[in-house]
Amino acid sequence: MKILLMLLSLLLGKGAFAQTIEILVLGSDHENKPGAEDYAMVTQKLAQFKPDMVLGEYLSPADYEALEPGTWAYQGMKKSKDYVARTYKTIPKNLDKKIKDAERALNKSPYDHKRRIDLAAWYVMQSDRANADYQIYLIEHEMKKHFKAAEMTYYTERFGTSDSLKKVRLYRPLSEYTNIYFPLLATLKRPKIYPMDCQKYDRPWSVAWAKTDSAYKELTRKAKADSNSAEAKTYRAIITASNFTADDKKRMTKSPYYNMAHPRYAELIDVWNFYGGSAFYGWAGFPDQHVKDMYKQWTLRNEGMCENVRRQAKAIGARRVVVAVGAGHRGIMEKILARDPNVKIVSYMDLK
């Protein structure tokens, strides 16, 4: 019995679930133009799934703080912090306490606008980009229309106009969060979004990508220089594999988010993201090793993201979870998460 309990403890310590959890990984577009999708319909479907938590492709505060200077995520967070620091001359030293106090107060009094404005700023300074963005969304879309004159002045003095917020990317009108996931959280009356991204492998990924891109350009050059060459055959085959087939076109619906949830889309985006993908190993001029290096870093990142999902879902005892990710992550994350026998993968295509 003791041995059984020890094994169970070890299993749970690695992120496995003691209860069945339903996880919906929704591949998303990072640019969502007006009219491209019925975003309200997507939000409604997700709300009917009744998730206990929503996780997004954001880094945790600790992971932001651990980033190397010069990386794109580091620079983005620094830009936001510098922006807030210019208007908030004094930032409380006890940020954790201030944030927790504000969160509790807003749960009781959601229209305490000044407190919400300050909370958004404190999230930025704590490197909680996910929830800073969510608070800004709530202010811009839900709260600002209720502001009194003094509250509007307080807000604009500290955060400027909507255009100013767009420039530092604290407000992104076309993002999947603004159009789907933040409205979902607001509909469900959830106070926060959970971060689950992993950028530990960004440097080696960037190196592998740059080498692959350079090698693919050389393949393209040779193919165009001699249309009868072996490289030209490889190039044409990659182009063909990158295109939608007649069956793909018949299968597509008017909803891009439904289409991105289809297994076939995961195959296509793999071809697009990996210069043809593993199907072209051994073909003339194809950069096998560089693409393998890309896959290695990609897999490590997605494994890290899945571990962040499992750990946080387990911590709050969630039974249903929505994970918002770029469309290229959906297929691989579903496979990784499905390794856990207590995880049930739910497809957006199956939602009514």
Side-chain angles (χ1 to χ4, degrees):
M1 184 66 179
K2 288 183 179 179
I3 294 176
L4 180 62
L5 289 172
M6 288 174 64
L7 289 172
L8 181 62
S9 176
L10 286 171
L11 184 63
L12 292 176
K14 291 183 179 179
F17 297 101
Q19 63 183 23
T20 299
I21 180 170
E22 297 180 32
I23 300 181
L24 192 159
V25 182
L26 186 54
S28 309
D29 198 331
H30 293 319
E31 185 173 343
N32 298 265
K33 295 180 180 179
E37 173 64 273
D38 184 346
Y39 303 112
M41 179 270 293
V42 178
T43 299
Q44 182 181 5
K45 283 188 173 184
L46 294 174
Q48 289 172 349
F49 177 60
K50 298 180 180 178
D52 301 307
M53 67 189 306
V54 177
L55 299 102
E57 203 173 330
Y58 286 96
L59 289 174
S60 69
D63 284 347
Y64 265 120
E65 294 296 332
L67 288 172
E68 295 180 46
T71 57
W72 67 268
Y74 176 93
Q75 292 302 118
M77 191 73 250
K78 183 178 183 301
K79 189 174 183 179
S80 298
K81 284 187 174 183
D82 290 346
Y83 181 79
V84 170
R86 284 196 294 268
T87 54
Y88 276 81
K89 302 302 182 183
T90 304
I91 303 296
K93 293 181 179 180
N94 54 341
L95 265 183
D96 285 346
K97 184 177 184 305
K98 285 284 189 180
I99 287 172
K100 289 176 182 177
D101 288 346
E103 290 171 343
R104 282 193 293 267
L106 285 168
N107 281 336
K108 295 179 181 179
S109 304
Y111 290 97
D112 185 345
H113 301 307
K114 181 177 179 296
R115 194 184 297 271
R116 189 177 298 280
I117 294 164
D118 289 341
L119 178 61
W122 296 338
Y123 276 142
V124 171
M125 301 311 293
Q126 196 192 41
S127 298
D128 189 345
R129 180 57 179 268
N131 286 297
D133 283 5
Y134 181 40
Q135 293 303 320
I136 294 295
Y137 164 83
L138 288 174
I139 291 169
E140 289 290 320
H141 287 260
E142 306 287 338
M143 303 297 174
K144 198 158 74 168
K145 58 191 174 187
H146 300 292
F147 280 7
K148 296 177 181 177
E151 292 166 335
M152 183 62 77
T153 298
Y154 189 84
Y155 181 54
T156 53
E157 285 179 349
R158 283 152 183 80
F159 280 98
T161 64
S162 297
D163 286 339
S164 299
L165 290 167
K166 290 175 191 176
K167 289 178 182 178
V168 292
R169 295 180 62 78
L170 279 170
Y171 177 55
R172 295 176 293 156
L174 300 183
S175 83
E176 63 270 43
Y177 297 98
T178 299
N179 288 284
I180 296 172
Y181 301 108
F182 291 160
L184 172 63
L185 290 166
T187 298
L188 297 172
K189 300 189 184 305
R190 297 285 188 267
K192 62 171 58 182
I193 185 169
Y194 292 81
M196 45 66 64
D197 197 5
C198 174
Q199 289 289 333
K200 294 177 183 177
Y201 310 101
D202 184 57
R203 288 283 194 192
W205 159 265
S206 297
V207 170
W209 174 84
K211 289 181 178 179
T212 304
D213 186 67
S214 178
Y216 185 78
K217 287 176 180 176
E218 179 62 14
L219 167 66
T220 303
R221 186 191 67 76
K222 289 181 178 179
K224 292 183 177 180
D226 182 358
S227 61
N228 294 316
S229 66
E231 288 84 359
K233 182 180 178 182
T234 300
Y235 177 75
R236 287 193 294 270
I238 292 174
I239 297 301
T240 299
S242 301
N243 292 331
F244 290 109
T245 65
D247 285 342
D248 292 333
K249 293 175 182 177
K250 289 179 183 177
R251 192 185 301 118
M252 290 172 69
T253 71
K254 292 181 179 180
S255 170
Y257 274 75
Y258 183 92
N259 297 333
M260 287 189 287
H262 196 284
R264 170 62 178 152
Y265 193 86
E267 296 174 3
L268 279 167
I269 202 165
D270 192 73
V271 173
W272 301 335
N273 287 345
F274 292 91
Y275 296 83
S278 58
F280 288 93
Y281 290 163
W283 286 58
F286 189 76
D288 292 21
Q289 189 56 54
H290 297 326
V291 173
K292 287 177 181 178
D293 291 342
M294 284 182 69
Y295 275 123
K296 177 182 177 180
Q297 302 307 324
W298 180 250
T299 300
L300 287 170
R301 180 186 176 191
N302 282 277
E303 287 176 343
M305 293 165 77
C306 289
E307 178 55 30
N308 290 336
V309 172
R310 286 193 293 261
R311 174 176 46 78
Q312 294 182 90
K314 176 186 167 187
I316 72 163
R319 290 184 178 274
R320 291 191 188 93
V321 172
V322 166
V323 182
V325 291
H329 293 280
R330 181 190 58 78
I332 186 172
M333 287 186 69
E334 286 182 343
K335 290 177 182 177
I336 294 169
L337 290 166
R339 294 171 191 166
D340 189 320
N342 293 312
V343 167
K344 177 184 177 183
I345 298 297
V346 176
S347 172
Y348 175 76
M349 295 176 67
D350 295 330
L351 299 185
K352 303 302 181 184

